[in-house]
Short mmCIF file of all heavy atoms in Angstrom, two decimals:
data_model
loop_
_atom_site.label_atom_id
_atom_site.label_comp_id
_atom_site.label_asym_id
_atom_site.label_seq_id
_atom_site.Cartn_x
_atom_site.Cartn_y
_atom_site.Cartn_z
N THR A 1 -19.25 5.86 -2.67
CA THR A 1 -18.08 5.41 -1.90
C THR A 1 -16.80 5.44 -2.73
O THR A 1 -15.69 5.46 -2.18
CB THR A 1 -18.28 3.96 -1.37
OG1 THR A 1 -18.61 3.11 -2.47
CG2 THR A 1 -19.40 3.94 -0.33
N GLU A 2 -16.95 5.49 -4.07
CA GLU A 2 -15.77 5.39 -4.94
C GLU A 2 -15.53 6.61 -5.82
O GLU A 2 -14.42 6.81 -6.34
CB GLU A 2 -15.88 4.13 -5.81
CG GLU A 2 -15.95 2.84 -4.99
CD GLU A 2 -16.44 1.64 -5.79
OE1 GLU A 2 -16.50 1.75 -7.05
OE2 GLU A 2 -16.78 0.62 -5.18
N ILE A 3 -16.58 7.44 -6.02
CA ILE A 3 -16.43 8.61 -6.92
C ILE A 3 -16.60 9.92 -6.15
O ILE A 3 -15.69 10.74 -6.10
CB ILE A 3 -17.44 8.53 -8.09
CG1 ILE A 3 -17.19 7.27 -8.92
CG2 ILE A 3 -17.32 9.80 -8.95
CD1 ILE A 3 -18.23 7.02 -10.01
N SER A 4 -17.76 10.09 -5.53
CA SER A 4 -18.04 11.37 -4.86
C SER A 4 -17.43 11.45 -3.45
O SER A 4 -17.15 12.55 -2.96
CB SER A 4 -19.55 11.57 -4.73
OG SER A 4 -20.11 10.69 -3.78
N GLY A 5 -17.27 10.28 -2.81
CA GLY A 5 -16.75 10.29 -1.42
C GLY A 5 -17.77 10.77 -0.41
O GLY A 5 -17.44 11.09 0.71
N VAL A 6 -19.04 10.77 -0.81
CA VAL A 6 -20.11 11.25 0.08
C VAL A 6 -20.32 10.31 1.25
O VAL A 6 -20.55 10.74 2.37
CB VAL A 6 -21.42 11.46 -0.73
CG1 VAL A 6 -22.61 11.63 0.21
CG2 VAL A 6 -21.30 12.68 -1.64
N THR A 7 -20.26 8.99 1.00
CA THR A 7 -20.45 8.01 2.07
C THR A 7 -19.12 7.32 2.41
O THR A 7 -18.16 7.38 1.64
CB THR A 7 -21.52 6.96 1.67
OG1 THR A 7 -21.10 6.32 0.46
CG2 THR A 7 -22.86 7.62 1.47
N ASP A 8 -19.10 6.68 3.55
CA ASP A 8 -17.85 6.16 4.11
C ASP A 8 -17.68 4.63 4.00
O ASP A 8 -16.56 4.16 4.00
CB ASP A 8 -17.74 6.57 5.56
CG ASP A 8 -17.93 8.05 5.77
OD1 ASP A 8 -17.22 8.82 5.11
OD2 ASP A 8 -18.82 8.45 6.53
N TYR A 9 -18.80 3.90 3.99
CA TYR A 9 -18.71 2.45 3.98
C TYR A 9 -19.72 1.88 2.98
O TYR A 9 -20.90 2.21 3.01
CB TYR A 9 -19.03 1.87 5.38
CG TYR A 9 -18.20 2.44 6.50
CD1 TYR A 9 -18.64 3.54 7.24
CD2 TYR A 9 -16.99 1.86 6.83
CE1 TYR A 9 -17.88 4.06 8.27
CE2 TYR A 9 -16.20 2.35 7.89
CZ TYR A 9 -16.67 3.47 8.60
OH TYR A 9 -15.92 4.00 9.63
N LYS A 10 -19.24 1.00 2.11
CA LYS A 10 -20.10 0.30 1.15
C LYS A 10 -20.39 -1.09 1.71
O LYS A 10 -19.47 -1.88 1.94
CB LYS A 10 -19.41 0.22 -0.20
CG LYS A 10 -20.21 -0.50 -1.29
CD LYS A 10 -19.40 -0.53 -2.58
CE LYS A 10 -20.11 -1.30 -3.69
NZ LYS A 10 -19.32 -1.32 -4.96
N MET A 11 -21.68 -1.36 1.88
CA MET A 11 -22.11 -2.61 2.50
C MET A 11 -22.82 -3.50 1.46
O MET A 11 -23.58 -2.97 0.66
CB MET A 11 -23.05 -2.34 3.67
CG MET A 11 -22.47 -1.43 4.76
SD MET A 11 -21.28 -2.30 5.81
CE MET A 11 -19.72 -1.72 5.11
N LYS A 12 -22.60 -4.80 1.56
CA LYS A 12 -23.20 -5.69 0.56
C LYS A 12 -24.68 -5.94 0.79
O LYS A 12 -25.42 -6.23 -0.14
CB LYS A 12 -22.44 -7.00 0.49
CG LYS A 12 -22.52 -7.88 1.72
CD LYS A 12 -21.75 -9.18 1.56
CE LYS A 12 -21.84 -10.05 2.80
NZ LYS A 12 -21.08 -11.30 2.68
N ASP A 13 -25.12 -5.88 2.06
CA ASP A 13 -26.53 -6.13 2.35
C ASP A 13 -26.87 -5.57 3.74
O ASP A 13 -25.99 -5.03 4.45
CB ASP A 13 -26.88 -7.63 2.28
CG ASP A 13 -25.99 -8.48 3.19
OD1 ASP A 13 -25.42 -7.96 4.18
OD2 ASP A 13 -25.85 -9.70 2.90
N ASP A 14 -28.14 -5.68 4.14
CA ASP A 14 -28.59 -5.15 5.43
C ASP A 14 -27.80 -5.78 6.59
O ASP A 14 -27.41 -5.09 7.54
CB ASP A 14 -30.09 -5.43 5.62
CG ASP A 14 -30.97 -4.45 4.89
OD1 ASP A 14 -30.44 -3.71 4.04
OD2 ASP A 14 -32.18 -4.39 5.19
N THR A 15 -27.59 -7.07 6.52
CA THR A 15 -26.92 -7.78 7.61
C THR A 15 -25.52 -7.23 7.87
O THR A 15 -25.16 -6.90 9.01
CB THR A 15 -26.83 -9.30 7.31
OG1 THR A 15 -28.14 -9.83 7.19
CG2 THR A 15 -26.08 -10.04 8.41
N GLU A 16 -24.73 -7.10 6.81
CA GLU A 16 -23.36 -6.57 6.97
C GLU A 16 -23.41 -5.13 7.46
O GLU A 16 -22.59 -4.73 8.31
CB GLU A 16 -22.60 -6.65 5.64
CG GLU A 16 -21.15 -6.19 5.80
CD GLU A 16 -20.38 -6.14 4.48
OE1 GLU A 16 -20.97 -5.68 3.46
OE2 GLU A 16 -19.22 -6.55 4.48
N CYS A 17 -24.36 -4.39 6.97
CA CYS A 17 -24.50 -2.97 7.37
C CYS A 17 -24.77 -2.86 8.88
O CYS A 17 -24.09 -2.08 9.59
CB CYS A 17 -25.64 -2.34 6.58
SG CYS A 17 -25.86 -0.57 6.91
N LEU A 18 -25.69 -3.63 9.38
CA LEU A 18 -26.06 -3.56 10.80
C LEU A 18 -24.93 -4.10 11.68
O LEU A 18 -24.67 -3.57 12.76
CB LEU A 18 -27.36 -4.33 11.04
CG LEU A 18 -28.59 -3.75 10.32
CD1 LEU A 18 -29.77 -4.72 10.37
CD2 LEU A 18 -28.98 -2.41 10.91
N GLN A 19 -24.25 -5.14 11.21
CA GLN A 19 -23.12 -5.66 11.97
C GLN A 19 -21.99 -4.62 12.07
O GLN A 19 -21.35 -4.48 13.11
CB GLN A 19 -22.59 -6.94 11.30
CG GLN A 19 -23.51 -8.15 11.48
CD GLN A 19 -23.05 -9.34 10.65
OE1 GLN A 19 -22.34 -9.20 9.65
NE2 GLN A 19 -23.47 -10.54 11.05
N THR A 20 -21.80 -3.87 11.00
CA THR A 20 -20.77 -2.84 10.99
C THR A 20 -21.13 -1.70 11.94
O THR A 20 -20.25 -1.17 12.64
CB THR A 20 -20.56 -2.30 9.56
OG1 THR A 20 -20.22 -3.37 8.69
CG2 THR A 20 -19.46 -1.24 9.51
N ILE A 21 -22.40 -1.35 11.98
CA ILE A 21 -22.85 -0.30 12.94
C ILE A 21 -22.56 -0.75 14.36
O ILE A 21 -22.06 0.06 15.18
CB ILE A 21 -24.35 -0.01 12.76
CG1 ILE A 21 -24.63 0.64 11.43
CG2 ILE A 21 -24.86 0.87 13.89
CD1 ILE A 21 -26.09 0.84 11.08
N ARG A 22 -22.81 -2.01 14.65
CA ARG A 22 -22.53 -2.51 16.00
C ARG A 22 -21.04 -2.36 16.34
O ARG A 22 -20.67 -1.96 17.45
CB ARG A 22 -22.94 -3.98 16.11
CG ARG A 22 -24.44 -4.21 16.18
CD ARG A 22 -24.78 -5.70 16.29
NE ARG A 22 -24.12 -6.29 17.44
CZ ARG A 22 -24.59 -6.21 18.69
NH1 ARG A 22 -25.71 -5.55 18.93
NH2 ARG A 22 -23.94 -6.78 19.69
N ARG A 23 -20.19 -2.68 15.37
CA ARG A 23 -18.74 -2.56 15.62
C ARG A 23 -18.34 -1.10 15.81
O ARG A 23 -17.48 -0.80 16.63
CB ARG A 23 -17.96 -3.21 14.48
CG ARG A 23 -18.04 -4.73 14.44
CD ARG A 23 -16.94 -5.34 13.60
NE ARG A 23 -17.10 -5.04 12.18
CZ ARG A 23 -17.79 -5.79 11.33
NH1 ARG A 23 -18.39 -6.89 11.77
NH2 ARG A 23 -17.87 -5.46 10.08
N LEU A 24 -18.93 -0.22 15.03
CA LEU A 24 -18.63 1.22 15.16
C LEU A 24 -19.03 1.74 16.54
O LEU A 24 -18.30 2.53 17.15
CB LEU A 24 -19.34 2.02 14.08
CG LEU A 24 -18.83 1.81 12.64
CD1 LEU A 24 -19.74 2.52 11.64
CD2 LEU A 24 -17.40 2.33 12.50
N VAL A 25 -20.21 1.31 17.01
CA VAL A 25 -20.66 1.76 18.34
C VAL A 25 -19.75 1.20 19.43
O VAL A 25 -19.41 1.90 20.40
CB VAL A 25 -22.12 1.32 18.58
CG1 VAL A 25 -22.54 1.66 20.01
CG2 VAL A 25 -23.07 2.03 17.60
N LYS A 26 -19.32 -0.03 19.28
CA LYS A 26 -18.42 -0.64 20.28
C LYS A 26 -17.11 0.11 20.38
O LYS A 26 -16.45 0.11 21.41
CB LYS A 26 -18.15 -2.11 19.93
CG LYS A 26 -19.27 -3.07 20.29
CD LYS A 26 -18.87 -4.50 20.02
CE LYS A 26 -19.97 -5.49 20.42
NZ LYS A 26 -19.57 -6.89 20.13
N ASN A 27 -16.69 0.76 19.27
CA ASN A 27 -15.42 1.47 19.25
C ASN A 27 -15.54 2.93 19.66
O ASN A 27 -14.56 3.67 19.56
CB ASN A 27 -14.81 1.38 17.84
CG ASN A 27 -14.26 0.00 17.55
OD1 ASN A 27 -13.77 -0.69 18.46
ND2 ASN A 27 -14.31 -0.42 16.30
N LEU A 28 -16.72 3.37 20.07
CA LEU A 28 -16.86 4.74 20.52
C LEU A 28 -16.02 4.97 21.77
O LEU A 28 -15.76 4.07 22.57
CB LEU A 28 -18.33 5.05 20.84
CG LEU A 28 -19.31 5.15 19.66
CD1 LEU A 28 -20.72 5.33 20.17
CD2 LEU A 28 -18.94 6.28 18.71
N GLY A 29 -15.59 6.20 21.95
CA GLY A 29 -14.76 6.55 23.10
C GLY A 29 -15.55 6.55 24.40
O GLY A 29 -16.77 6.24 24.43
N PRO A 30 -14.90 6.90 25.52
CA PRO A 30 -15.57 6.88 26.84
C PRO A 30 -16.69 7.91 26.90
O PRO A 30 -16.68 8.94 26.23
CB PRO A 30 -14.42 7.25 27.80
CG PRO A 30 -13.43 7.99 26.97
CD PRO A 30 -13.50 7.37 25.61
N SER A 31 -17.67 7.59 27.74
CA SER A 31 -18.84 8.46 27.90
C SER A 31 -18.93 8.89 29.37
O SER A 31 -19.28 8.07 30.23
CB SER A 31 -20.09 7.71 27.48
OG SER A 31 -21.25 8.46 27.77
N PRO A 32 -18.63 10.17 29.68
CA PRO A 32 -18.78 10.62 31.07
C PRO A 32 -20.23 10.59 31.52
O PRO A 32 -21.15 10.70 30.69
CB PRO A 32 -18.22 12.06 31.02
CG PRO A 32 -18.36 12.48 29.59
CD PRO A 32 -18.20 11.24 28.77
N LYS A 33 -20.46 10.45 32.79
CA LYS A 33 -21.80 10.30 33.34
C LYS A 33 -22.14 11.45 34.32
O LYS A 33 -21.27 12.14 34.82
CB LYS A 33 -21.93 8.97 34.08
CG LYS A 33 -21.57 7.72 33.25
CD LYS A 33 -22.68 7.41 32.27
CE LYS A 33 -22.46 6.04 31.62
NZ LYS A 33 -21.29 5.97 30.75
N ALA A 34 -23.44 11.60 34.58
CA ALA A 34 -23.88 12.55 35.60
C ALA A 34 -23.64 11.99 37.00
O ALA A 34 -23.60 12.74 37.97
CB ALA A 34 -25.37 12.85 35.42
#
């Protein structure tokens, strides 16, 4: 996260990581339907 730039988010533990995923999904754009 600080040298290679390979990853985008540095998380302190599993809990913070999963909470961040939830926030990322909530911020996804609209999804057209069939």
Side-chain angles (χ1 to χ4, degrees):
T1 55
E2 300 164 13
I3 299 174
S4 72
V6 166
T7 57
D8 307 305
Y9 305 92
K10 179 180 177 180
M11 303 285 101
K12 66 179 180 182
D13 55 24
D14 280 14
T15 298
E16 184 185 42
C17 183
L18 296 169
Q19 288 172 336
T20 302
I21 292 173
R22 286 181 56 81
R23 289 198 291 271
L24 291 172
V25 174
K26 282 184 178 181
N27 286 328
L28 290 175
S31 173
K33 304 286 191 292

